[in-house]
Amino acid sequence: MINIREAITGDINKIAEIHEFCWQEVYSFMPESILKNRDADFRKKQWLYWFEKTPLDEKLYVVTVDQTIVGFCCCKPCEDPDAPDGAGEMHAAYVMPEYRGGIVGPVMIVNMGEFLLQRGYRSFVLWAFRQNRVRMWYGQIGFKSFVQRNRSIAGQGIPEIGYVCHDTNTLISKLRKQIAVRQRS
């Protein structure tokens, strides 16, 4: 059974493990120097810091299947100068490969979207590296490309695309229907 819940500090090790694995697997096109520096220890420190600052306007969720964490996602206010004013950001969403393509992705997007809507954000943005194959799904569910640029990571430019969704209610409704259909099958 799939469940999504707010993350707790006891989840940090599993979140870091998934974060490291997905970067290695999905972003294998990145320079090795970047991937080596984004190991589990780096990710543990990153998420521990997140919990220590306890941002009220951000949310970190974990997705579980039969009580095992298989993915996580994080959303927050968007502070990127290239993004539309007043947008909420779907900042991170990582899922183990065997759980992709089902309802985990839609469940994560719906939960992040509902949190952002409750905070008053009426558009959502997200970022995807150009070589990330998963990014094609964003266009299929209602996001539109609004900027292409290089993101600087460890001094290296990695091409990325910014996506925005202004029709947030339709997005959430569409994904809820996909979830319901997949749960019945």
Side-chain angles (χ1 to χ4, degrees):
M1 174 170 206
I2 294 176
N3 187 36
I4 188 165
R5 63 171 171 78
E6 190 171 338
I8 59 173
T9 54
D11 299 327
I12 289 175
N13 287 341
K14 191 63 177 174
I15 291 169
E17 177 186 313
I18 291 169
H19 206 167
E20 176 192 26
F21 177 85
C22 288
W23 264 63
Q24 296 291 325
E25 187 242 352
V26 177
Y27 303 152
S28 61
F29 56 83
M30 284 195 189
E32 186 63 29
S33 60
I34 291 174
L35 295 176
K36 279 184 184 178
N37 290 326
R38 299 303 191 269
D39 64 6
D41 287 336
F42 175 91
R43 296 303 181 188
K44 284 178 193 174
K45 289 174 188 168
Q46 174 186 356
W47 292 111
L48 181 60
Y49 175 76
W50 187 90
F51 276 102
E52 287 173 352
K53 68 178 186 151
T54 317
L56 297 176
D57 54 351
E58 296 183 22
K59 189 64 77 175
L60 177 62
Y61 296 99
V62 292
V63 179
T64 62
V65 173
D66 299 326
Q67 301 181 350
T68 299
I69 297 173
V70 300
F72 73 93
C73 58
C74 180
C75 57
K76 63 182 197 148
C78 184
E79 299 168 353
D80 193 290
D82 289 332
D85 289 338
E89 181 175 331
M90 296 183 174
H91 181 69
Y94 294 99
V95 179
M96 295 305 287
E98 58 270 31
Y99 297 97
R100 295 179 195 148
I103 67 170
V104 173
V107 164
M108 291 184 345
I109 297 289
V110 165
N111 277 268
M112 288 189 291
E114 288 176 343
F115 176 81
L116 293 170
L117 285 172
Q118 289 170 1
R119 297 293 186 276
Y121 299 104
R122 296 295 172 238
S123 60
F124 307 147
V125 298
L126 55 83
W127 308 93
F129 295 112
R130 187 171 52 214
Q131 289 181 269
N132 180 352
R133 297 176 311 271
V134 176
R135 74 177 176 80
M136 300 307 174
W137 181 64
Y138 303 134
Q140 294 170 1
I141 63 172
F143 282 86
K144 307 281 185 226
S145 170
F146 72 91
V147 67
Q148 294 188 29
R149 64 184 186 189
N150 283 338
R151 183 194 302 178
S152 180
I153 301 176
Q156 298 188 48
I158 309 294
E160 76 174 351
I161 300 171
Y163 291 89
V164 65
C165 178
H166 295 293
D167 192 358
T168 56
N169 290 322
T170 299
L171 170 71
I172 290 173
S173 176
K174 180 180 182 178
L175 291 175
R176 283 188 175 287
K177 287 176 187 173
Q178 285 181 11
I179 293 166
V181 166
R182 291 178 181 169
Q183 284 178 326
R184 285 193 295 265
S185 28

